Amino acid sequence: MTQRLPRLEALDVLRGLAVAGMILVVSPGDWSMAYAQLQHAAWHGATLADMVFPTFLFSVGMALGLSFPRLMADTAQRRLFWMRLIRRSITLVVLGLVVEATYVWTISAGAPYPGHGGLSYVRIPGILQRIGLCYLLGGALIVVTSRTIADGRIAIAPQRVLFCIAAILIGYWALLRFVPVPGFGVGLLTPDGSLPAFVDRTLFTVPHLWPLGSATGQGPATYDPEGLLSTLPATANLLFGALAAWAWRQNSDRATLHVAIAGTMLIIAGLALDPVFEINKRLWTSSFALFSSGVSALVLALLVVTLRAPVGRAIATPFRVLGGNAILAFLISTAFSRISGFPLLPWRGALLAPQQWGFAVASTMLPNPRLASLACAVAIVGAVTALLWPLHRRAIHFRI
């Protein structure tokens, strides 16, 4: 029991770290004063901010992997699994569309955000949509490639999953390098000339893409960082998480070392591929999928070691709270961001938007503007954690 508890805690903490990182990235007091590592890379390359979403997908894959071995002995059990998989995926996609709808609604209400108001400008791709699609594809691949062990139970077949990952990443590279894009040619990895960008513009149309998805960030949009085609390599991150769960199931005593070694190898592989297929989060290139999965694996291994100590477990408590209700934390932080642009709070005879007000208050205590901006983001993380704390104490977890 002593060995099992930290391992499960590590997954919640990893998920919580990803949620906290997401909030820090999207909640600065002043966007122009955010630290470089808390901003996404402009195009090629990677920052700490770029590791947030891959780590969440990795944790989703690990949670999925820990549900195996599982009974699939008869038609009823198999039908139940597929229905749950499809239902959860559809729920995430629909919830993501609702979240995106709230963005254009706030613009219609007068919020000074990039883009246009009205449902005709709702962004179709998005974070929750990508999680839902990756969950569906990853779960399906795990089951289809699984092996039967005993009593009608199926287990993850790691060699087959690795084959799927290799096929996805090599296939994605081949698509981006060799499939011509009308009007641009072959092999371009630019915001407007890449194959994923063309697919998203064609399928979703420009008004339904991320409003900042252009080379300048000023529009019109030419790509979406959570587009359809790049969901394929993003699924590799989820599958790597499932393999990490399989490693813990097989040998919990040595799993930490094995995962750390695998993570290091993935990072090296991603860096080695960078000269020929650049690390790029917005296109979710194969090199980025390998590199970011390696980072997630190393962080997971570090957390397992850290949580063995009482002080480590105490420090990790806020992240465990966030990780236990990750989707709800995301929704709460999104609600905060939606109202952050409206002039609501008094400050020295004027009304300021919550984001401006927070930065103004922080600046009176912290002369360094970048530190003041970070303090605002940390305060939002604290506020979300505080709202979720009562649920955590009662072991209430919002599940989809």
mmCIF file of all heavy atoms in Angstrom, residues 53 92-93 95-101 103 121-131 133 196-197 199-201 203-211 221 223-231 282 330 338:
data_model
loop_
_atom_site.group_PDB
_atom_site.id
_atom_site.type_symbol
_atom_site.label_atom_id
_atom_site.label_comp_id
_atom_site.label_asym_id
_atom_site.label_seq_id
_atom_site.Cartn_x
_atom_site.Cartn_y
_atom_site.Cartn_z
ATOM 1 N N PHE A 53 0.252 21.574 -22.364
ATOM 2 C CA PHE A 53 -0.795 20.752 -22.963
ATOM 3 C C PHE A 53 -0.325 19.313 -23.228
ATOM 4 O O PHE A 53 -1.058 18.360 -22.945
ATOM 5 C CB PHE A 53 -1.298 21.416 -24.244
ATOM 6 C CG PHE A 53 -2.602 20.843 -24.755
ATOM 7 C CD1 PHE A 53 -3.408 20.027 -23.973
ATOM 8 C CD2 PHE A 53 -3.045 21.144 -26.040
ATOM 9 C CE1 PHE A 53 -4.617 19.509 -24.447
ATOM 10 C CE2 PHE A 53 -4.238 20.633 -26.529
ATOM 11 C CZ PHE A 53 -5.020 19.809 -25.731
ATOM 12 N N LEU A 92 -16.589 15.925 -24.240
ATOM 13 C CA LEU A 92 -15.464 16.861 -24.228
ATOM 14 C C LEU A 92 -15.527 17.807 -25.431
ATOM 15 O O LEU A 92 -15.285 19.009 -25.289
ATOM 16 C CB LEU A 92 -14.144 16.095 -24.227
ATOM 17 C CG LEU A 92 -13.726 15.486 -22.889
ATOM 18 C CD1 LEU A 92 -12.612 14.469 -23.080
ATOM 19 C CD2 LEU A 92 -13.285 16.575 -21.913
ATOM 20 N N VAL A 93 -15.846 17.267 -26.596
ATOM 21 C CA VAL A 93 -15.929 18.101 -27.796
ATOM 22 C C VAL A 93 -17.051 19.132 -27.662
ATOM 23 O O VAL A 93 -16.853 20.325 -27.940
ATOM 24 C CB VAL A 93 -16.138 17.225 -29.046
ATOM 25 C CG1 VAL A 93 -16.463 18.097 -30.256
ATOM 26 C CG2 VAL A 93 -14.901 16.385 -29.330
ATOM 27 N N LEU A 95 -18.465 20.244 -24.880
ATOM 28 C CA LEU A 95 -18.105 21.197 -23.834
ATOM 29 C C LEU A 95 -17.089 22.201 -24.353
ATOM 30 O O LEU A 95 -17.165 23.403 -24.037
ATOM 31 C CB LEU A 95 -17.553 20.449 -22.621
ATOM 32 C CG LEU A 95 -17.264 21.265 -21.366
ATOM 33 C CD1 LEU A 95 -18.522 21.971 -20.884
ATOM 34 C CD2 LEU A 95 -16.707 20.359 -20.257
ATOM 35 N N GLY A 96 -16.145 21.730 -25.165
ATOM 36 C CA GLY A 96 -15.166 22.634 -25.753
ATOM 37 C C GLY A 96 -15.809 23.663 -26.663
ATOM 38 O O GLY A 96 -15.428 24.842 -26.660
ATOM 39 N N LEU A 97 -16.798 23.251 -27.439
ATOM 40 C CA LEU A 97 -17.499 24.191 -28.313
ATOM 41 C C LEU A 97 -18.274 25.223 -27.504
ATOM 42 O O LEU A 97 -18.338 26.404 -27.873
ATOM 43 C CB LEU A 97 -18.442 23.429 -29.244
ATOM 44 C CG LEU A 97 -17.766 22.578 -30.325
ATOM 45 C CD1 LEU A 97 -18.800 21.728 -31.054
ATOM 46 C CD2 LEU A 97 -16.998 23.452 -31.309
ATOM 47 N N VAL A 98 -18.857 24.788 -26.387
ATOM 48 C CA VAL A 98 -19.557 25.729 -25.508
ATOM 49 C C VAL A 98 -18.573 26.751 -24.937
ATOM 50 O O VAL A 98 -18.857 27.959 -24.881
ATOM 51 C CB VAL A 98 -20.285 24.975 -24.377
ATOM 52 C CG1 VAL A 98 -20.838 25.959 -23.344
ATOM 53 C CG2 VAL A 98 -21.416 24.117 -24.941
ATOM 54 N N VAL A 99 -17.404 26.265 -24.519
ATOM 55 C CA VAL A 99 -16.372 27.171 -23.997
ATOM 56 C C VAL A 99 -15.985 28.199 -25.059
ATOM 57 O O VAL A 99 -15.841 29.403 -24.773
ATOM 58 C CB VAL A 99 -15.141 26.369 -23.537
ATOM 59 C CG1 VAL A 99 -13.949 27.295 -23.287
ATOM 60 C CG2 VAL A 99 -15.459 25.585 -22.274
ATOM 61 N N GLU A 100 -15.803 27.749 -26.299
ATOM 62 C CA GLU A 100 -15.447 28.679 -27.368
ATOM 63 C C GLU A 100 -16.589 29.651 -27.651
ATOM 64 O O GLU A 100 -16.350 30.818 -27.997
ATOM 65 C CB GLU A 100 -15.073 27.907 -28.632
ATOM 66 C CG GLU A 100 -13.830 27.044 -28.511
ATOM 67 C CD GLU A 100 -12.594 27.841 -28.163
ATOM 68 O OE1 GLU A 100 -12.552 29.054 -28.475
ATOM 69 O OE2 GLU A 100 -11.655 27.263 -27.575
ATOM 70 N N ALA A 101 -17.827 29.191 -27.506
ATOM 71 C CA ALA A 101 -18.965 30.082 -27.714
ATOM 72 C C ALA A 101 -18.985 31.209 -26.683
ATOM 73 O O ALA A 101 -19.356 32.350 -27.004
ATOM 74 C CB ALA A 101 -20.273 29.290 -27.661
ATOM 75 N N TYR A 103 -16.533 32.711 -25.565
ATOM 76 C CA TYR A 103 -15.546 33.716 -25.971
ATOM 77 C C TYR A 103 -16.180 34.754 -26.910
ATOM 78 O O TYR A 103 -16.032 35.960 -26.695
ATOM 79 C CB TYR A 103 -14.367 33.025 -26.658
ATOM 80 C CG TYR A 103 -13.268 33.967 -27.097
ATOM 81 C CD1 TYR A 103 -12.348 34.464 -26.178
ATOM 82 C CD2 TYR A 103 -13.151 34.368 -28.426
ATOM 83 C CE1 TYR A 103 -11.333 35.329 -26.575
ATOM 84 C CE2 TYR A 103 -12.154 35.230 -28.836
ATOM 85 C CZ TYR A 103 -11.239 35.710 -27.904
ATOM 86 O OH TYR A 103 -10.241 36.570 -28.301
ATOM 87 N N TYR A 121 -18.550 33.187 -35.694
ATOM 88 C CA TYR A 121 -17.098 33.236 -35.502
ATOM 89 C C TYR A 121 -16.626 32.314 -34.389
ATOM 90 O O TYR A 121 -15.508 32.443 -33.905
ATOM 91 C CB TYR A 121 -16.653 34.672 -35.202
ATOM 92 C CG TYR A 121 -16.789 35.598 -36.387
ATOM 93 C CD1 TYR A 121 -17.930 36.374 -36.556
ATOM 94 C CD2 TYR A 121 -15.784 35.686 -37.336
ATOM 95 C CE1 TYR A 121 -18.071 37.227 -37.643
ATOM 96 C CE2 TYR A 121 -15.904 36.538 -38.428
ATOM 97 C CZ TYR A 121 -17.058 37.301 -38.578
ATOM 98 O OH TYR A 121 -17.184 38.126 -39.664
ATOM 99 N N VAL A 122 -17.462 31.381 -33.974
ATOM 100 C CA VAL A 122 -17.052 30.439 -32.933
ATOM 101 C C VAL A 122 -15.900 29.576 -33.444
ATOM 102 O O VAL A 122 -15.962 29.006 -34.536
ATOM 103 C CB VAL A 122 -18.223 29.533 -32.507
ATOM 104 C CG1 VAL A 122 -17.737 28.405 -31.605
ATOM 105 C CG2 VAL A 122 -19.269 30.348 -31.781
ATOM 106 N N ARG A 123 -14.867 29.492 -32.653
ATOM 107 C CA ARG A 123 -13.736 28.629 -32.989
ATOM 108 C C ARG A 123 -14.164 27.173 -32.842
ATOM 109 O O ARG A 123 -14.660 26.770 -31.789
ATOM 110 C CB ARG A 123 -12.562 28.947 -32.068
ATOM 111 C CG ARG A 123 -11.317 28.124 -32.337
ATOM 112 C CD ARG A 123 -10.291 28.387 -31.255
ATOM 113 N NE ARG A 123 -9.102 27.554 -31.427
ATOM 114 C CZ ARG A 123 -8.215 27.311 -30.463
ATOM 115 N NH1 ARG A 123 -8.387 27.857 -29.261
ATOM 116 N NH2 ARG A 123 -7.166 26.543 -30.701
ATOM 117 N N ILE A 124 -13.959 26.375 -33.882
ATOM 118 C CA ILE A 124 -14.356 24.973 -33.823
ATOM 119 C C ILE A 124 -13.289 24.103 -33.170
ATOM 120 O O ILE A 124 -13.607 23.298 -32.303
ATOM 121 C CB ILE A 124 -14.729 24.461 -35.228
ATOM 122 C CG1 ILE A 124 -15.973 25.209 -35.727
ATOM 123 C CG2 ILE A 124 -14.999 22.957 -35.212
ATOM 124 C CD1 ILE A 124 -16.395 24.840 -37.131
ATOM 125 N N PRO A 125 -12.025 24.207 -33.545
ATOM 126 C CA PRO A 125 -11.010 23.453 -32.793
ATOM 127 C C PRO A 125 -10.811 24.087 -31.418
ATOM 128 O O PRO A 125 -11.215 25.223 -31.173
ATOM 129 C CB PRO A 125 -9.742 23.595 -33.651
ATOM 130 C CG PRO A 125 -10.197 24.146 -34.964
ATOM 131 C CD PRO A 125 -11.439 24.932 -34.680
ATOM 132 N N GLY A 126 -10.185 23.366 -30.513
ATOM 133 C CA GLY A 126 -9.932 23.901 -29.182
ATOM 134 C C GLY A 126 -9.280 22.865 -28.292
ATOM 135 O O GLY A 126 -9.062 21.712 -28.687
ATOM 136 N N ILE A 127 -8.987 23.265 -27.074
ATOM 137 C CA ILE A 127 -8.261 22.394 -26.145
ATOM 138 C C ILE A 127 -9.092 21.178 -25.761
ATOM 139 O O ILE A 127 -8.632 20.033 -25.872
ATOM 140 C CB ILE A 127 -7.852 23.197 -24.896
ATOM 141 C CG1 ILE A 127 -6.788 24.237 -25.259
ATOM 142 C CG2 ILE A 127 -7.331 22.261 -23.796
ATOM 143 C CD1 ILE A 127 -6.409 25.162 -24.140
ATOM 144 N N LEU A 128 -10.307 21.402 -25.296
ATOM 145 C CA LEU A 128 -11.141 20.267 -24.891
ATOM 146 C C LEU A 128 -11.503 19.393 -26.091
ATOM 147 O O LEU A 128 -11.592 18.163 -25.963
ATOM 148 C CB LEU A 128 -12.405 20.765 -24.201
ATOM 149 C CG LEU A 128 -12.199 21.443 -22.843
ATOM 150 C CD1 LEU A 128 -13.532 21.892 -22.266
ATOM 151 C CD2 LEU A 128 -11.500 20.518 -21.859
ATOM 152 N N GLN A 129 -11.696 20.017 -27.239
ATOM 153 C CA GLN A 129 -11.983 19.237 -28.442
ATOM 154 C C GLN A 129 -10.819 18.298 -28.761
ATOM 155 O O GLN A 129 -11.018 17.132 -29.114
ATOM 156 C CB GLN A 129 -12.243 20.165 -29.633
ATOM 157 C CG GLN A 129 -13.491 21.024 -29.489
ATOM 158 C CD GLN A 129 -13.210 22.379 -28.877
ATOM 159 O OE1 GLN A 129 -12.563 22.464 -27.840
ATOM 160 N NE2 GLN A 129 -13.702 23.432 -29.509
ATOM 161 N N ARG A 130 -9.599 18.821 -28.645
ATOM 162 C CA ARG A 130 -8.436 17.970 -28.922
ATOM 163 C C ARG A 130 -8.321 16.845 -27.902
ATOM 164 O O ARG A 130 -8.011 15.706 -28.256
ATOM 165 C CB ARG A 130 -7.156 18.802 -28.934
ATOM 166 C CG ARG A 130 -5.888 17.949 -28.929
ATOM 167 C CD ARG A 130 -4.709 18.646 -29.512
ATOM 168 N NE ARG A 130 -4.861 18.802 -30.948
ATOM 169 C CZ ARG A 130 -3.932 19.384 -31.732
ATOM 170 N NH1 ARG A 130 -2.820 19.853 -31.190
ATOM 171 N NH2 ARG A 130 -4.123 19.484 -33.026
ATOM 172 N N ILE A 131 -8.560 17.139 -26.638
ATOM 173 C CA ILE A 131 -8.508 16.081 -25.622
ATOM 174 C C ILE A 131 -9.516 14.987 -25.956
ATOM 175 O O ILE A 131 -9.213 13.795 -25.881
ATOM 176 C CB ILE A 131 -8.783 16.665 -24.223
ATOM 177 C CG1 ILE A 131 -7.661 17.633 -23.813
ATOM 178 C CG2 ILE A 131 -8.882 15.540 -23.182
ATOM 179 C CD1 ILE A 131 -7.953 18.388 -22.537
ATOM 180 N N LEU A 133 -10.829 14.141 -28.908
ATOM 181 C CA LEU A 133 -10.448 13.367 -30.087
ATOM 182 C C LEU A 133 -9.252 12.461 -29.799
ATOM 183 O O LEU A 133 -9.212 11.306 -30.247
ATOM 184 C CB LEU A 133 -10.135 14.310 -31.248
ATOM 185 C CG LEU A 133 -11.327 15.095 -31.814
ATOM 186 C CD1 LEU A 133 -10.868 16.051 -32.906
ATOM 187 C CD2 LEU A 133 -12.394 14.147 -32.349
ATOM 188 N N PRO A 196 -1.339 21.087 -42.302
ATOM 189 C CA PRO A 196 -2.371 21.230 -41.264
ATOM 190 C C PRO A 196 -3.133 22.551 -41.371
ATOM 191 O O PRO A 196 -4.351 22.586 -41.167
ATOM 192 C CB PRO A 196 -1.578 21.148 -39.955
ATOM 193 C CG PRO A 196 -0.369 20.360 -40.301
ATOM 194 C CD PRO A 196 -0.024 20.771 -41.701
ATOM 195 N N ALA A 197 -2.423 23.631 -41.695
ATOM 196 C CA ALA A 197 -3.096 24.926 -41.838
ATOM 197 C C ALA A 197 -4.089 24.891 -42.987
ATOM 198 O O ALA A 197 -5.216 25.392 -42.873
ATOM 199 C CB ALA A 197 -2.061 26.028 -42.053
ATOM 200 N N VAL A 199 -5.613 22.253 -44.267
ATOM 201 C CA VAL A 199 -6.740 21.396 -43.902
ATOM 202 C C VAL A 199 -7.725 22.151 -43.025
ATOM 203 O O VAL A 199 -8.949 22.092 -43.238
ATOM 204 C CB VAL A 199 -6.243 20.119 -43.189
ATOM 205 C CG1 VAL A 199 -7.412 19.348 -42.580
ATOM 206 C CG2 VAL A 199 -5.483 19.225 -44.167
ATOM 207 N N ASP A 200 -7.220 22.884 -42.039
ATOM 208 C CA ASP A 200 -8.114 23.602 -41.121
ATOM 209 C C ASP A 200 -8.853 24.732 -41.825
ATOM 210 O O ASP A 200 -10.043 24.951 -41.585
ATOM 211 C CB ASP A 200 -7.319 24.149 -39.936
ATOM 212 C CG ASP A 200 -6.804 23.045 -39.033
ATOM 213 O OD1 ASP A 200 -7.416 21.966 -39.006
ATOM 214 O OD2 ASP A 200 -5.771 23.252 -38.369
ATOM 215 N N ARG A 201 -8.152 25.456 -42.703
ATOM 216 C CA ARG A 201 -8.833 26.532 -43.440
ATOM 217 C C ARG A 201 -9.912 25.968 -44.354
ATOM 218 O O ARG A 201 -10.987 26.559 -44.523
ATOM 219 C CB ARG A 201 -7.819 27.321 -44.278
ATOM 220 C CG ARG A 201 -6.861 28.174 -43.476
ATOM 221 C CD ARG A 201 -6.181 29.212 -44.364
ATOM 222 N NE ARG A 201 -5.460 28.617 -45.487
ATOM 223 C CZ ARG A 201 -4.187 28.237 -45.463
ATOM 224 N NH1 ARG A 201 -3.486 28.386 -44.339
ATOM 225 N NH2 ARG A 201 -3.612 27.741 -46.538
ATOM 226 N N LEU A 203 -11.489 22.909 -44.051
ATOM 227 C CA LEU A 203 -12.544 22.182 -43.352
ATOM 228 C C LEU A 203 -13.382 23.089 -42.454
ATOM 229 O O LEU A 203 -14.619 23.042 -42.470
ATOM 230 C CB LEU A 203 -11.922 21.054 -42.525
ATOM 231 C CG LEU A 203 -12.895 20.121 -41.805
ATOM 232 C CD1 LEU A 203 -13.765 19.379 -42.809
ATOM 233 C CD2 LEU A 203 -12.118 19.116 -40.945
ATOM 234 N N PHE A 204 -12.718 23.915 -41.670
ATOM 235 C CA PHE A 204 -13.434 24.738 -40.690
ATOM 236 C C PHE A 204 -13.754 26.138 -41.206
ATOM 237 O O PHE A 204 -14.659 26.789 -40.679
ATOM 238 C CB PHE A 204 -12.626 24.842 -39.399
ATOM 239 C CG PHE A 204 -12.305 23.521 -38.755
ATOM 240 C CD1 PHE A 204 -11.009 23.173 -38.445
ATOM 241 C CD2 PHE A 204 -13.311 22.618 -38.469
ATOM 242 C CE1 PHE A 204 -10.710 21.955 -37.854
ATOM 243 C CE2 PHE A 204 -13.035 21.394 -37.881
ATOM 244 C CZ PHE A 204 -11.728 21.058 -37.575
ATOM 245 N N THR A 205 -12.999 26.630 -42.166
ATOM 246 C CA THR A 205 -13.018 27.985 -42.717
ATOM 247 C C THR A 205 -12.377 28.973 -41.734
ATOM 248 O O THR A 205 -12.386 28.765 -40.514
ATOM 249 C CB THR A 205 -14.420 28.476 -43.113
ATOM 250 O OG1 THR A 205 -15.189 28.731 -41.934
ATOM 251 C CG2 THR A 205 -15.127 27.452 -44.000
ATOM 252 N N VAL A 206 -11.851 30.044 -42.289
ATOM 253 C CA VAL A 206 -11.061 31.004 -41.510
ATOM 254 C C VAL A 206 -11.819 31.589 -40.313
ATOM 255 O O VAL A 206 -11.258 31.711 -39.217
ATOM 256 C CB VAL A 206 -10.536 32.127 -42.433
ATOM 257 C CG1 VAL A 206 -9.932 33.266 -41.615
ATOM 258 C CG2 VAL A 206 -9.502 31.569 -43.410
ATOM 259 N N PRO A 207 -13.098 31.970 -40.436
ATOM 260 C CA PRO A 207 -13.785 32.564 -39.277
ATOM 261 C C PRO A 207 -13.877 31.643 -38.060
ATOM 262 O O PRO A 207 -14.099 32.131 -36.946
ATOM 263 C CB PRO A 207 -15.186 32.883 -39.823
ATOM 264 C CG PRO A 207 -15.007 33.003 -41.291
ATOM 265 C CD PRO A 207 -13.955 32.003 -41.643
ATOM 266 N N HIS A 208 -13.698 30.345 -38.256
ATOM 267 C CA HIS A 208 -13.854 29.406 -37.155
ATOM 268 C C HIS A 208 -12.517 28.876 -36.635
ATOM 269 O O HIS A 208 -12.476 27.848 -35.959
ATOM 270 C CB HIS A 208 -14.744 28.242 -37.589
ATOM 271 C CG HIS A 208 -16.143 28.660 -37.914
ATOM 272 N ND1 HIS A 208 -17.028 29.102 -36.951
ATOM 273 C CD2 HIS A 208 -16.808 28.732 -39.092
ATOM 274 C CE1 HIS A 208 -18.179 29.414 -37.516
ATOM 275 N NE2 HIS A 208 -18.066 29.203 -38.816
ATOM 276 N N LEU A 209 -11.435 29.590 -36.937
ATOM 277 C CA LEU A 209 -10.119 29.230 -36.427
ATOM 278 C C LEU A 209 -9.716 30.186 -35.310
ATOM 279 O O LEU A 209 -10.346 31.217 -35.081
ATOM 280 C CB LEU A 209 -9.081 29.270 -37.555
ATOM 281 C CG LEU A 209 -9.328 28.346 -38.753
ATOM 282 C CD1 LEU A 209 -8.202 28.489 -39.768
ATOM 283 C CD2 LEU A 209 -9.488 26.900 -38.312
ATOM 284 N N TRP A 210 -8.655 29.828 -34.615
ATOM 285 C CA TRP A 210 -8.104 30.659 -33.542
ATOM 286 C C TRP A 210 -7.812 32.058 -34.085
ATOM 287 O O TRP A 210 -7.061 32.191 -35.058
ATOM 288 C CB TRP A 210 -6.828 29.999 -33.025
ATOM 289 C CG TRP A 210 -6.205 30.643 -31.837
ATOM 290 C CD1 TRP A 210 -6.818 31.014 -30.690
ATOM 291 C CD2 TRP A 210 -4.807 30.950 -31.676
ATOM 292 N NE1 TRP A 210 -5.903 31.550 -29.801
ATOM 293 C CE2 TRP A 210 -4.661 31.511 -30.387
ATOM 294 C CE3 TRP A 210 -3.680 30.789 -32.478
ATOM 295 C CZ2 TRP A 210 -3.423 31.924 -29.888
ATOM 296 C CZ3 TRP A 210 -2.447 31.200 -31.994
ATOM 297 C CH2 TRP A 210 -2.315 31.759 -30.705
ATOM 298 N N PRO A 211 -8.381 33.116 -33.512
ATOM 299 C CA PRO A 211 -8.230 34.458 -34.100
ATOM 300 C C PRO A 211 -6.790 34.965 -34.152
ATOM 301 O O PRO A 211 -6.485 35.857 -34.944
ATOM 302 C CB PRO A 211 -9.111 35.343 -33.199
ATOM 303 C CG PRO A 211 -9.309 34.558 -31.945
ATOM 304 C CD PRO A 211 -9.277 33.115 -32.339
ATOM 305 N N ALA A 221 -6.814 34.685 -39.584
ATOM 306 C CA ALA A 221 -6.227 33.415 -39.178
ATOM 307 C C ALA A 221 -5.862 32.571 -40.391
ATOM 308 O O ALA A 221 -6.596 32.532 -41.376
ATOM 309 C CB ALA A 221 -7.204 32.655 -38.286
ATOM 310 N N TYR A 223 -4.089 29.377 -39.517
ATOM 311 C CA TYR A 223 -3.913 28.041 -38.942
ATOM 312 C C TYR A 223 -4.563 28.023 -37.567
ATOM 313 O O TYR A 223 -4.948 29.062 -37.021
ATOM 314 C CB TYR A 223 -2.433 27.678 -38.815
ATOM 315 C CG TYR A 223 -1.729 28.393 -37.680
ATOM 316 C CD1 TYR A 223 -1.588 27.787 -36.430
ATOM 317 C CD2 TYR A 223 -1.224 29.682 -37.840
ATOM 318 C CE1 TYR A 223 -0.963 28.444 -35.379
ATOM 319 C CE2 TYR A 223 -0.610 30.349 -36.803
ATOM 320 C CZ TYR A 223 -0.473 29.732 -35.573
ATOM 321 O OH TYR A 223 0.133 30.392 -34.536
ATOM 322 N N ASP A 224 -4.674 26.812 -36.995
ATOM 323 C CA ASP A 224 -5.149 26.671 -35.620
ATOM 324 C C ASP A 224 -4.229 25.723 -34.881
ATOM 325 O O ASP A 224 -3.938 24.621 -35.374
ATOM 326 C CB ASP A 224 -6.577 26.122 -35.588
ATOM 327 C CG ASP A 224 -7.233 26.328 -34.236
ATOM 328 O OD1 ASP A 224 -6.801 25.663 -33.271
ATOM 329 O OD2 ASP A 224 -8.155 27.145 -34.139
ATOM 330 N N PRO A 225 -3.718 26.110 -33.707
ATOM 331 C CA PRO A 225 -2.785 25.240 -32.983
ATOM 332 C C PRO A 225 -3.404 23.947 -32.469
ATOM 333 O O PRO A 225 -2.678 23.022 -32.100
ATOM 334 C CB PRO A 225 -2.312 26.127 -31.814
ATOM 335 C CG PRO A 225 -3.406 27.134 -31.642
ATOM 336 C CD PRO A 225 -3.944 27.379 -33.011
ATOM 337 N N GLU A 226 -4.729 23.875 -32.421
ATOM 338 C CA GLU A 226 -5.415 22.631 -32.055
ATOM 339 C C GLU A 226 -6.196 22.083 -33.238
ATOM 340 O O GLU A 226 -7.295 21.578 -33.095
ATOM 341 C CB GLU A 226 -6.354 22.857 -30.857
ATOM 342 C CG GLU A 226 -5.677 22.788 -29.517
ATOM 343 C CD GLU A 226 -4.866 24.034 -29.194
ATOM 344 O OE1 GLU A 226 -5.387 25.157 -29.308
ATOM 345 O OE2 GLU A 226 -3.676 23.872 -28.836
ATOM 346 N N GLY A 227 -5.604 22.201 -34.428
ATOM 347 C CA GLY A 227 -6.290 21.793 -35.636
ATOM 348 C C GLY A 227 -6.497 20.294 -35.745
ATOM 349 O O GLY A 227 -6.023 19.507 -34.921
ATOM 350 N N LEU A 228 -7.189 19.893 -36.793
ATOM 351 C CA LEU A 228 -7.606 18.501 -36.933
ATOM 352 C C LEU A 228 -6.442 17.561 -37.228
ATOM 353 O O LEU A 228 -6.255 16.555 -36.541
ATOM 354 C CB LEU A 228 -8.664 18.379 -38.034
ATOM 355 C CG LEU A 228 -9.263 16.982 -38.209
ATOM 356 C CD1 LEU A 228 -10.026 16.567 -36.959
ATOM 357 C CD2 LEU A 228 -10.181 16.951 -39.428
ATOM 358 N N LEU A 229 -5.645 17.877 -38.243
ATOM 359 C CA LEU A 229 -4.581 16.953 -38.651
ATOM 360 C C LEU A 229 -3.528 16.784 -37.563
ATOM 361 O O LEU A 229 -3.020 15.678 -37.346
ATOM 362 C CB LEU A 229 -3.939 17.455 -39.945
ATOM 363 C CG LEU A 229 -3.004 16.474 -40.659
ATOM 364 C CD1 LEU A 229 -3.736 15.196 -41.029
ATOM 365 C CD2 LEU A 229 -2.407 17.132 -41.904
ATOM 366 N N SER A 230 -3.200 17.845 -36.853
ATOM 367 C CA SER A 230 -2.180 17.749 -35.808
ATOM 368 C C SER A 230 -2.671 17.016 -34.570
ATOM 369 O O SER A 230 -1.898 16.783 -33.629
ATOM 370 C CB SER A 230 -1.671 19.148 -35.423
ATOM 371 O OG SER A 230 -2.736 19.983 -35.003
ATOM 372 N N THR A 231 -3.956 16.642 -34.563
ATOM 373 C CA THR A 231 -4.456 15.786 -33.483
ATOM 374 C C THR A 231 -3.804 14.404 -33.537
ATOM 375 O O THR A 231 -3.663 13.743 -32.504
ATOM 376 C CB THR A 231 -5.986 15.645 -33.586
ATOM 377 O OG1 THR A 231 -6.575 16.941 -33.448
ATOM 378 C CG2 THR A 231 -6.543 14.739 -32.497
ATOM 379 N N ARG A 282 2.835 24.429 -32.440
ATOM 380 C CA ARG A 282 1.639 24.877 -33.155
ATOM 381 C C ARG A 282 1.252 23.891 -34.259
ATOM 382 O O ARG A 282 0.067 23.718 -34.537
ATOM 383 C CB ARG A 282 1.859 26.259 -33.733
ATOM 384 C CG ARG A 282 2.446 27.243 -32.703
ATOM 385 C CD ARG A 282 1.765 28.535 -32.725
ATOM 386 N NE ARG A 282 2.398 29.458 -31.784
ATOM 387 C CZ ARG A 282 1.742 30.254 -30.978
ATOM 388 N NH1 ARG A 282 0.426 30.222 -30.958
ATOM 389 N NH2 ARG A 282 2.370 31.080 -30.166
ATOM 390 N N PHE A 330 -10.059 23.911 -15.194
ATOM 391 C CA PHE A 330 -9.955 24.561 -16.500
ATOM 392 C C PHE A 330 -11.168 25.453 -16.750
ATOM 393 O O PHE A 330 -11.027 26.593 -17.230
ATOM 394 C CB PHE A 330 -9.835 23.494 -17.589
ATOM 395 C CG PHE A 330 -9.893 24.037 -18.988
ATOM 396 C CD1 PHE A 330 -8.778 24.607 -19.578
ATOM 397 C CD2 PHE A 330 -11.079 23.987 -19.718
ATOM 398 C CE1 PHE A 330 -8.838 25.123 -20.873
ATOM 399 C CE2 PHE A 330 -11.138 24.492 -21.008
ATOM 400 C CZ PHE A 330 -10.018 25.063 -21.594
ATOM 401 N N ARG A 338 -12.713 35.096 -19.060
ATOM 402 C CA ARG A 338 -13.783 35.718 -19.840
ATOM 403 C C ARG A 338 -14.173 37.090 -19.277
ATOM 404 O O ARG A 338 -14.576 37.982 -20.022
ATOM 405 C CB ARG A 338 -15.013 34.808 -19.883
ATOM 406 C CG ARG A 338 -14.804 33.520 -20.650
ATOM 407 C CD ARG A 338 -14.564 33.756 -22.128
ATOM 408 N NE ARG A 338 -14.477 32.506 -22.863
ATOM 409 C CZ ARG A 338 -13.332 31.911 -23.208
ATOM 410 N NH1 ARG A 338 -12.172 32.480 -22.875
ATOM 411 N NH2 ARG A 338 -13.335 30.790 -23.894
#
